[in-house]
Amino acid sequence: MSEIIASVTAGDVTVNGVLAAEALRKAAKSSGKSIEVEVRTNEGVLNPLGAQQIAGAKLAVLVGSADATDSRFAGIKSIRATIGEVLADAGAVLSGSKPVSVAKKIVAITSCPTGIAHTFMAAEGLQQAAAALGHEIRVETQGSVGSQTPLTDAEIAAADLVLIAADKQVDLGRFAGKRVFQSGTKPAINDGQNLITKALAEAAMQGGSAKAASTPQKTGAYKHLMSGVSFMIPFVTAGGLLIALAFAFGGIYATDPSHANTFAGALFEIGAKSAFTLFVPILGGFIAYSIADRPGLAPGMIGGLLSSLLGAGFLGAIAAGFLAGYSTLYLNRHIKLPRSMEGLKPVLILPLLGTLITGLLMVYVIGTPIAEILAFLTNFLKSMQGSSAILLGLLLGAMMAFDMGGPVNKAAYTFAVGLLSAQVYTPMAAVMAAGMTPPLAIALATWLFPARFSEEEREAGLSTGALGLSFITEGAIPFAARDPFRVIPCTVTGSAIAGAISMASGVQLKVPHGGIFVLPIPDAVTHLGFYVIALVAGTVVTALMLGVVKKNFVEKTV
């Protein structure tokens, strides 16, 4: 039995949580008091507090985002603190005289590959967390229509910290000489307070000068790929919708040479022969740009175009993008020129040598093998029938609902979008049906089983359903974050069913986005009836499962 109990919620900053727990133990020991501390992390709970440890405690210390309404601590005097406050002076926290936190000025950028939900949810998470911690923050969202609420030079100059919460490459040239910390959007959405605390403790000085472009950061292959995908998606979306409109005006014969001078023929020319021709080079070019900055753009785009000409498609463009990016980055770091000739590197030497290396390797080494792999994959997918199609639909559907906009979701989406250039449309249909299912199902569940949800969740159900109709899976994230072990298995099951029915029915979708709003366009979706069945089946199964597994919501009181 201890006089003090403490619960430290560390989220994904496990090290800081463990250090805070140790600081509390030392502070309690120095004051002659006994203490038991649990540390709650994303991987599990260290030294969980049981009834025997809690019994008789006179004080509960809740650190981080620990739940003040936890029934285990009912009737015990409690105090709250942040991890940063505990690390600064644990003794003052235990004595009830926490040190006065020095408010920091923070500027932040949030961005995700599509620039839709995660971008703005991360921004909101950071704003709420900064307010709770007593810091001042300004967030620039790099959304689907570009930078919104852009940071000014004065705000950047006055900032104590630059926090980048992004799932794609962000240009750091503006932040030379500032303390910069980089993270994905997920920590900002799930636990913004711990992310800010960690950033303040671990941020590193950004090199370079305020007038010079920053050195490209090592952010990993996934971020480089997602940067390329983020630039590619508008081309695919515009091209796909224009192709669908061409069929709407000209019917199935819109592609015939006899329709070349008609309005439908013009739409097809713009969509299929222009936008769709560009999206593969764009993918390769902006993967390389993410890795090597502007000098990598030309080699990456030329490598991507070669991939199209060689029949290697989007797989070849991905290979060309990474090849061009890393080879150009290597050349940039190792070619040393006199100061008077440095200006030739970005406009002449690096694009020339990067293009030469990428182009020769694409033509003589990797282009043909990748083309053969893509041809095999294309023929295999086109021939899929019965159980094999169902298995692929199950897999793609489950991936779409597993992290709802995270890496697994984006991997399935990128796979389906890439296959559009190879005229394989069935995975795209399965992916969109599966991606629409979680938010639609949660909206339905809040209506069918209102007792299972809080008043706030019920009010959010309508907007969540609207996001689902628009194929924005991220609308389900707040519900999954509150109850992941019940919600995620339900959404994965329903989305897998939707994907399987879509694939087994041979539904084809020629447009990469748009949700329910593209379904009325003639020939945008084949077997529309089966597609609706797939969507309804996945939605209903998920909603009914939620009604079974979720318990009635009970409003907690302190």
Side-chain angles (χ1 to χ4, degrees):
M1 185 171 62
S2 302
E3 298 174 75
I4 305 173
I5 55 173
S7 179
V8 180
T9 301
D12 62 350
V13 287
T14 303
V15 174
N16 282 9
V18 172
L19 290 175
E22 188 60 28
L24 289 172
R25 292 188 185 99
K26 288 182 179 179
K29 183 177 180 181
S30 65
S31 61
K33 297 178 180 178
S34 58
I35 189 172
E36 285 288 346
V37 187
E38 69 175 14
V39 181
R40 309 184 74 84
T41 74
N42 288 343
E43 288 74 36
V45 182
L46 306 177
N47 188 37
L49 295 173
Q52 185 175 359
Q53 294 166 301
I54 296 173
K58 298 178 181 178
L59 176 66
V61 182
L62 308 179
V63 182
S65 55
D67 187 1
T69 63
D70 192 324
S71 60
R72 296 179 299 165
F73 309 136
I76 305 175
K77 178 185 176 182
S78 64
I79 58 175
R80 296 197 65 92
T82 67
I83 290 178
E85 290 169 339
V86 172
L87 293 176
D89 193 341
V93 171
L94 291 181
S95 66
S97 57
K98 294 186 293 186
V100 178
S101 299
V102 179
K104 300 292 185 181
K105 290 186 176 181
I106 304 171
V107 294
I109 293 178
T110 62
S111 182
C112 70
T114 55
I116 307 177
H118 275 191
T119 299
F120 302 101
M121 292 170 70
E124 184 180 357
L126 290 177
Q127 289 164 343
Q128 292 176 351
L133 295 173
H135 300 308
E136 180 182 338
I137 193 169
R138 266 277 287 115
V139 184
E140 174 183 311
T141 54
Q142 295 189 357
S144 56
V145 293
S147 296
Q148 299 176 47
T149 59
L151 300 171
T152 66
D153 292 340
E155 288 171 331
I156 294 171
D160 299 301
L161 171 71
V162 177
L163 177 53
I164 309 295
D167 295 326
K168 69 183 187 74
Q169 188 76 353
V170 171
D171 182 12
L172 302 180
R174 294 179 287 170
F175 308 123
K178 307 299 293 185
R179 295 180 68 238
V180 177
F181 185 84
Q182 296 192 72
S183 165
T185 56
K186 186 176 180 181
I189 295 170
N190 292 343
D191 198 344
Q193 290 190 34
N194 279 331
L195 177 60
I196 291 175
T197 301
K198 183 178 180 181
L200 288 169
E202 300 180 11
M205 192 67 68
Q206 174 68 18
S209 64
K211 296 181 181 179
S214 63
T215 301
Q217 302 296 306
K218 293 182 179 180
T219 54
Y222 174 75
K223 277 195 175 181
H224 298 315
L225 175 61
M226 288 299 103
S227 293
V229 170
S230 71
F231 283 98
M232 175 191 78
I233 284 175
F235 290 83
V236 183
T237 304
L241 287 170
L242 286 169
I243 292 170
L245 288 172
F247 287 122
F249 284 100
I252 60 174
Y253 301 107
T255 62
D256 288 358
S258 59
H259 282 63
N261 296 322
T262 65
F263 182 65
L267 292 176
F268 185 78
E269 185 82 16
I270 298 168
K273 297 183 180 180
S274 298
F276 260 48
T277 300
L278 276 174
F279 94 72
V280 173
I282 289 293
L283 174 62
F286 280 95
I287 289 173
Y289 175 83
S290 176
I291 298 168
D293 211 347
R294 292 185 182 181
L297 183 60
M301 289 194 69
I302 294 168
L305 182 58
L306 278 171
S307 176
S308 289
L309 297 175
L310 294 170
F314 81 101
L315 292 178
I318 292 172
F322 281 107
L323 182 60
Y326 284 115
S327 62
T328 304
L329 183 62
Y330 178 85
L331 293 170
N332 190 25
R333 290 176 175 175
H334 290 84
I335 293 178
K336 305 298 180 183
L337 295 176
R339 184 183 298 272
S340 60
M341 298 182 65
E342 275 290 323
L344 293 176
K345 279 177 65 175
V347 298
L348 174 62
I349 296 173
L350 295 179
L352 172 61
L353 295 180
T355 299
L356 182 63
I357 292 170
T358 305
L360 290 175
L361 287 175
M362 286 297 295
V363 171
Y364 289 111
V365 181
I366 65 174
T368 300
I370 293 178
E372 292 175 352
I373 292 172
L374 182 63
F376 171 79
L377 177 62
T378 301
N379 292 330
F380 173 72
L381 290 172
K382 286 183 175 179
S383 66
M384 290 186 79
Q385 302 290 334
S387 60
S388 57
I390 292 173
L391 287 174
L392 180 61
L394 286 169
L395 176 61
L396 290 174
M399 290 174 69
M400 288 299 293
F402 180 74
D403 54 2
M404 304 179 200
V408 178
N409 171 286
K410 287 295 186 291
Y413 181 71
T414 302
F415 170 76
V417 169
L419 288 170
L420 293 178
S421 63
Q423 298 181 344
V424 178
Y425 305 117
T426 50
M428 191 70 252
V431 160
M432 192 164 85
M436 294 169 67
T437 293
L440 288 175
I442 287 173
L444 179 61
T446 61
W447 179 67
L448 292 177
F449 311 103
R452 306 289 199 272
F453 299 91
S454 67
E455 182 179 354
E456 178 187 359
E457 288 174 325
R458 294 194 297 271
E459 291 176 353
L462 184 61
S463 60
T464 301
L467 292 174
L469 292 175
S470 304
F471 182 33
I472 299 177
T473 317
E474 291 92 334
I477 288 178
F479 295 85
R482 292 188 186 99
D483 194 3
F485 296 109
R486 292 188 178 92
V487 173
I488 292 177
C490 297
T491 57
V492 166
T493 302
S495 290
I497 290 172
I501 294 174
S502 176
M503 282 293 298
S505 304
V507 179
Q508 296 183 348
L509 176 65
K510 299 174 183 177
V511 187
H513 217 290
I516 197 173
F517 304 104
V518 301
L519 301 187
I521 299 176
D523 293 314
V525 184
T526 65
H527 306 303
L528 180 58
F530 285 108
Y531 194 67
V532 173
I533 290 172
L535 186 59
V536 171
T539 299
V540 170
V541 168
T542 300
L544 293 178
M545 287 182 65
L546 287 170
V548 171
V549 303
K550 283 183 69 69
K551 297 179 180 178
N552 283 349
F553 179 80
V554 178
E555 197 74 41
K556 295 180 180 179
T557 56
V558 179

